[in-house]
Amino acid sequence: MKIRDISKGASFSLEVFPPKKSYSLQSVSKTFGRLAALEPDFISVTYGAGGSNIRQNKTVELCRKLKQEYKVEPVAHLTCFNSRKDEVLTMLELMKEQGIENILALRGDRNPDITPPGDFHYAYELIDFIRTHTKEGDFDICAACYPEGHPECDSLKEDIRHLKQKVDAGVSLLISQLFFDNEDFYHFLELCDVAGIEVPIHAGIMPVTNKSQIERMVSTCGASLPGKFSRMMARYENNPQALLDAGISYATEQIVDLLASGVSGIHLYAMNKPEIAEKIKGNIASLIDVHNQE
């Protein structure tokens, strides 16, 4: 099923990542079983290399597992900056073989230790490549957006111009990077509206699990930390359980406000921790139901 047909009402989705090292299928199955029980509209799986053989890529393997065994629609991340065109074509063929219909097309992070092949420089090039080299209807394409602007862009308005270029290349849905101040997201939506970006934009929410994790994520995506959030981390950073409880409460408060403001969807960065996703979904389940009944 395509994303454009799934994302109705107030969508609720999750994101997971393939373990970087060898992993137990039994452990992954337990995690997927608990996440599937939350009845998300879809689960996105981040891009993970599977060694030198691209057909061993764990992203596709886990997406297949989600769809075939757990009946949850997967969205496979696909990056391009460090990939050759023939590698992308192989991934597209493999996804089609496995019945994967939705892709989150990304540039991918720059790695100072790797010289990119130069086939792709930006996500819009990957989106255009997918559209050009696949049949119409093979895939729905999603893309990422940055409510506070991409860290490599000089301004938010410049970043939105680039975002419009991605959307025009053929995007059905945008999923935002994490943010901790809803006002930043609302301002971003206003600018997107002015720019003529009309596809649904889902709000990406990451619950705090530990201070170092958040600091690492913020450094890569450029999200700012409002005073309220910083005070919470400073107060509870030495008590892991207290910080986790406060983080779940903060994320829930964000989601409640976002839903009340009519956002089209919530994308929860579950970080492969079903217990966190379960608590948050339990906190907002009745709100999702209200929106989906309207």
Side-chain angles (χ1 to χ4, degrees):
M1 183 179 291
K2 300 295 193 298
I3 281 295
R4 70 184 68 189
D5 300 319
I6 297 172
S7 304
K8 307 298 183 183
S11 174
F12 176 77
S13 59
L14 303 167
E15 182 167 299
V16 298
F17 58 85
K20 294 182 180 180
K21 300 180 181 179
S22 60
Y23 61 98
S24 163
L25 282 176
Q26 183 177 2
S27 174
V28 171
S29 295
K30 184 177 180 180
T31 296
F32 279 7
R34 292 174 65 179
L35 293 177
L38 299 177
E39 300 182 336
D41 291 294
F42 62 88
I43 294 180
S44 70
V45 182
T46 64
Y47 191 81
S52 58
N53 187 344
I54 198 166
R55 287 186 174 269
Q56 295 175 359
N57 187 286
K58 295 174 184 176
T59 300
V60 174
E61 177 186 356
L62 296 182
C63 284
R64 178 201 60 77
K65 194 173 186 68
L66 278 170
K67 182 159 187 169
Q68 295 183 8
E69 298 181 27
Y70 296 96
K71 312 305 179 186
V72 176
E73 196 62 38
V75 174
H77 291 215
L78 181 61
T79 64
C80 66
F81 189 68
N82 293 310
S83 298
R84 301 189 310 271
K85 289 182 178 179
D86 64 301
E87 292 176 322
V88 171
L89 284 174
T90 299
M91 283 297 298
L92 294 173
E93 291 169 4
L94 183 56
M95 289 177 185
K96 189 174 180 181
E97 287 174 10
Q98 300 299 328
I100 297 168
E101 300 181 81
N102 301 292
I103 296 172
L104 180 57
L106 305 161
R107 185 197 72 177
D109 297 331
R110 299 179 187 274
N111 188 331
D113 299 323
I114 297 177
T115 301
D119 287 10
F120 299 97
H121 301 90
Y122 303 103
Y124 83 86
E125 295 172 332
L126 173 60
I127 295 165
D128 184 67
F129 184 83
I130 295 171
R131 289 296 184 213
T132 302
H133 291 82
T134 60
K135 295 179 182 178
E136 185 177 356
D138 279 353
F139 300 104
D140 251 14
I141 302 176
C142 311
C145 58
Y146 291 74
E148 297 175 68
H150 193 284
E152 296 179 19
C153 255
D154 291 334
S155 69
L156 177 56
K157 290 186 177 180
E158 178 188 348
D159 190 36
I160 289 177
R161 286 196 294 271
H162 295 315
L163 182 62
K164 182 67 162 58
Q165 193 173 16
K166 286 197 291 188
V167 172
D168 289 346
V171 167
S172 299
L173 172 72
L174 294 172
I175 300 175
S176 90
Q177 270 288 2
L178 60 90
F179 59 92
F180 299 102
D181 189 335
N182 286 2
E183 293 305 317
D184 290 331
F185 186 72
Y186 299 144
H187 177 59
F188 171 74
L189 293 181
E190 291 174 357
L191 293 179
C192 285
D193 185 57
V194 171
I197 295 174
E198 298 179 349
V199 298
I201 302 176
H202 290 190
I205 299 296
M206 176 177 283
V208 175
T209 57
N210 63 70
K211 184 178 179 180
S212 61
Q213 179 188 58
I214 291 300
E215 289 176 339
R216 183 171 64 253
M217 293 299 295
V218 166
S219 68
T220 59
C221 71
S224 59
L225 300 180
K228 180 180 179 179
F229 185 88
S230 297
R231 289 191 295 273
M232 179 188 74
M233 286 206 302
R235 180 67 178 86
Y236 301 117
E237 63 178 296
N238 296 319
N239 188 319
Q241 185 59 52
L243 180 59
L244 178 61
D245 291 342
I248 290 173
S249 177
Y250 191 96
T252 299
E253 184 179 335
Q254 274 192 277
I255 295 171
V256 170
D257 181 68
L258 289 164
L259 290 173
S261 299
V263 298
S264 58
I266 302 296
H267 188 66
L268 188 68
Y269 294 102
M271 305 303 292
N272 291 24
K273 295 183 178 181
E275 63 277 8
I276 295 176
E278 287 166 346
K279 288 182 179 179
I280 291 180
K281 180 61 186 297
N283 289 341
I284 65 169
S286 62
L287 307 183
I288 294 288
D289 289 343
V290 167
H291 284 266
N292 289 339
Q293 290 169 7
E294 291 178 345

